[in-house]
Amino acid sequence: MASASERLASNFSLDTFRKATELKKRLWFLLGALVVYRIGSYIPLPGIDPIALEQLFAEQRDGIFGVFDAFSGGALGRMTVFALNIFPYISASIIMQLLSSAVPSLARIKKEGPEGRKIINQYTRYGTVLLAALQGYGIAVSLESAQGLVANPGLNFRVSATILLTGGTVFLMWLGEQITQRGVGNGISILIFAGIVANLPLAVGNLFELSRTNAFSGLIVIAIILLVFVVIAAVVFFERAQRRILVQYPQRQRGTKMYGANSSHLPLKLNSSGVIPPIFASSLLLLPLTLANFNAGEAGLLADIVAITGRGQPAFLAIYAALIVFFAFFYTAIVFNPAETADNLRKNGGIIQGIRPGKATADYLDYVLTRLTVVGAIYLTVVCLIPEWLIAQYSVPFYFGGTSVLIVVTVTMDTIAQVQGHLISHQYEHLLKRNNPTKQSKPKRRRLH
């Protein structure tokens, strides 16, 4: 028998969407925020020669700057006020998650509920400002080191560039929080999603241009398009996959109320680490190439490392796969604590059938999660290595790499789920108002003549 939410979902129509005024307001706010974001990604830093910048960035396109430029929608390549994008905030969030697990005082703050999360979020904002300032100053110094790129190099340029880049990141952090509160979806993820999708039409146009100039045959273009759809379908399948562990709650009494026995499920995602492993792995691997480009023409150990671990080399693919697997296990261990989950189940009277409460439950959850993470790590590795292999073997211009596909698909799924949630909530409110009207028409009084 279908549940109430499933019955409501089957009744969705354009009329239902038209009546959901709150959802429409949120969507309009989201659209306006994205317009502001795209406008800001075209406001350049003052004092930079755009022609020299384009030449410099063409040399760095295969390095880490090329990866993050794709995520920022070209803002880094144009060196705009949003060049750092939201990545300092992401880095600060990851650092705070690590510290919250390693530092006892932060761990206690994290367990204090909403107030503790507010404190952690405030620390994350401070960390974002610090990281953005350091990265902005580093970019300013790097720009000055390029011949003829900066019109008036010196302290004034460094200070102004650092302030503008830091201010751009802080503004995007605030904009992302506003999208989360007043729009639809996770604001930070939506901004990264918008940056990736912004360059998609140009990438598709370049692909068909290569086909028109006979660089690729029509069959290869069709095969690439089909492969993209297959990868997207695989990402959807694996991202929605989860292991649901049955948890039983016996009959219990709280105060004067008696609660009957019931059961629920503890969902464990197949890929608990999300897109963090590919991002970290690609950043570490492309860092030597980026440093080597800044020291072009100088032979040494760094140049030898780049020659061995360059994109498309067997060593690159092997190290890339190993790093993805490592970060998948590492980040899963941070976001999910089996001992804490088992303790919460024990406090609430929850029992996994056939497993003793306490340490045995924690060991069982750790065993299940390890097996899931093995499959999830293999899935991430395959999805991320397919584009790299095609680029190396056939020079396929795969703009949509594995990490980009993961981000686009997961953000789309989360946003659609939130839209459906708002529509279901609106239908529930409509049914409650119809069954329990608050405003009843009052009978008219007769006038006495």
Side-chain angles (χ1 to χ4, degrees):
M1 184 176 179
S3 63
S5 60
E6 290 174 344
R7 291 196 300 270
L8 287 172
S10 63
N11 295 327
F12 283 161
S13 63
L14 291 177
D15 187 61
T16 303
F17 181 80
R18 181 178 61 82
K19 294 179 180 178
T21 55
E22 177 65 22
L23 176 59
K24 289 192 292 185
K25 290 180 181 179
R26 288 179 172 271
L27 291 176
W28 278 115
F29 181 84
L30 173 61
L31 180 61
L34 292 180
V35 170
V36 172
Y37 167 64
R38 291 305 299 164
I39 292 175
S41 64
Y42 283 90
I43 302 176
L45 291 178
I48 296 179
D49 184 0
I51 298 177
L53 177 64
E54 184 177 358
Q55 294 175 352
L56 174 66
F57 198 81
E59 301 173 357
Q60 304 286 343
R61 196 167 296 277
D62 292 333
I64 191 172
F65 287 126
V67 175
F68 287 110
D69 183 58
F71 290 160
S72 64
L76 182 60
R78 292 185 292 269
M79 202 53 65
T80 67
V81 293
F82 289 168
L84 293 179
N85 205 273
I86 203 67
F87 296 113
Y89 177 79
I90 296 175
S91 301
S93 300
I94 295 172
I95 292 173
M96 284 306 303
Q97 287 184 356
L98 294 173
L99 293 178
S100 298
S101 302
V103 180
S105 58
L106 291 177
R108 287 193 297 269
I109 294 176
K110 187 178 180 180
K111 294 179 180 179
E112 292 178 358
E115 293 298 325
R117 285 193 294 270
K118 287 182 180 180
I119 297 175
I120 295 295
N121 290 338
Q122 193 64 25
Y123 288 162
T124 304
R125 295 187 185 101
Y126 295 149
T128 301
V129 175
L130 178 60
L131 289 177
L134 292 175
Q135 294 178 13
Y137 183 79
I139 288 179
V141 173
S142 301
L143 293 175
E144 282 187 340
S145 63
Q147 185 82 22
L149 181 60
V150 179
N152 296 307
L155 182 61
N156 289 336
F157 172 77
R158 296 182 185 182
V159 172
S160 62
T162 302
I163 292 175
L164 288 173
L165 291 173
T166 304
T169 297
V170 173
F171 176 79
L172 289 181
M173 177 181 64
W174 173 83
L175 187 64
E177 293 177 351
Q178 295 302 308
I179 292 175
T180 303
Q181 296 175 4
R182 302 171 59 183
V184 178
N186 181 279
I188 304 301
S189 301
I190 290 288
L191 293 178
I192 300 177
F193 168 87
I196 295 174
V197 174
N199 285 339
L200 181 58
L202 179 61
V204 174
N206 291 337
L207 180 62
F208 284 104
E209 179 65 21
L210 291 173
S211 176
R212 189 185 65 83
T213 57
N214 295 325
F216 288 128
S217 65
L219 291 177
I220 293 180
V221 173
I222 294 175
I224 293 174
I225 295 175
L226 290 177
L227 181 60
V228 170
F229 280 106
V230 169
V231 171
I232 291 175
V235 171
V236 172
F237 175 79
F238 281 100
E239 288 298 325
R240 296 189 58 164
Q242 57 181 225
R243 170 74 182 275
R244 303 179 69 188
I245 299 177
L246 180 64
V247 179
Q248 297 178 337
Y249 294 91
Q251 188 177 19
R252 59 196 186 279
Q253 181 177 359
R254 288 186 178 180
T256 58
K257 293 184 178 181
M258 180 66 69
Y259 294 88
N262 60 359
S263 62
S264 64
H265 290 88
L266 177 64
L268 297 179
K269 289 189 63 177
L270 184 67
N271 178 29
S272 301
S273 57
V275 297
I276 297 300
I279 292 177
F280 273 30
S282 58
S283 300
L284 288 178
L285 267 177
L286 294 176
L287 185 59
L289 177 60
T290 304
L291 296 176
N293 287 335
F294 278 119
N295 297 279
E298 297 183 9
L301 179 62
L302 187 60
D304 296 336
I305 294 175
V306 171
I308 298 175
T309 62
R311 294 190 71 173
Q313 299 295 328
F316 175 87
L317 299 178
I319 297 174
Y320 192 27
L323 288 175
I324 290 175
V325 173
F326 169 75
F327 283 118
F329 279 92
F330 179 75
Y331 196 73
T332 299
I334 293 175
V335 299
F336 186 87
N337 189 340
E340 184 178 349
T341 304
D343 187 55
N344 292 333
L345 289 176
R346 181 183 58 81
K347 291 179 180 178
N348 291 282
I351 299 173
I352 300 176
Q353 188 174 7
I355 307 297
R356 294 172 61 88
K359 187 178 184 302
T361 299
D363 293 339
Y364 175 75
L365 293 176
D366 183 65
Y367 169 74
V368 173
L369 190 64
T370 301
R371 296 177 63 187
L372 292 175
T373 306
V374 169
V375 179
I378 295 174
Y379 140 72
L380 286 176
T381 303
V382 172
V383 168
C384 294
L385 288 188
I386 287 177
E388 296 292 339
W389 180 75
L390 290 175
I391 293 172
Q393 297 296 324
Y394 303 103
S395 300
V396 175
F398 235 99
Y399 171 76
F400 251 176
T403 307
S404 301
V405 171
L406 286 171
I407 294 174
V408 170
V409 174
T410 52
V411 172
T412 302
M413 291 170 57
D414 292 340
T415 305
I416 292 176
Q418 286 205 19
V419 171
Q420 291 178 343
H422 282 290
L423 288 175
I424 291 176
S425 176
H426 169 74
Q427 285 192 312
Y428 269 124
E429 292 176 358
H430 178 68
L431 289 176
L432 290 175
K433 289 179 180 179
R434 187 173 63 182
N435 295 330
N436 300 303
T438 56
K439 293 183 180 181
Q440 298 179 353
S441 58
K442 297 181 180 180
K444 295 183 179 180
R445 295 182 180 179
R446 294 184 178 180
R447 293 183 178 178
L448 299 177
H449 297 283

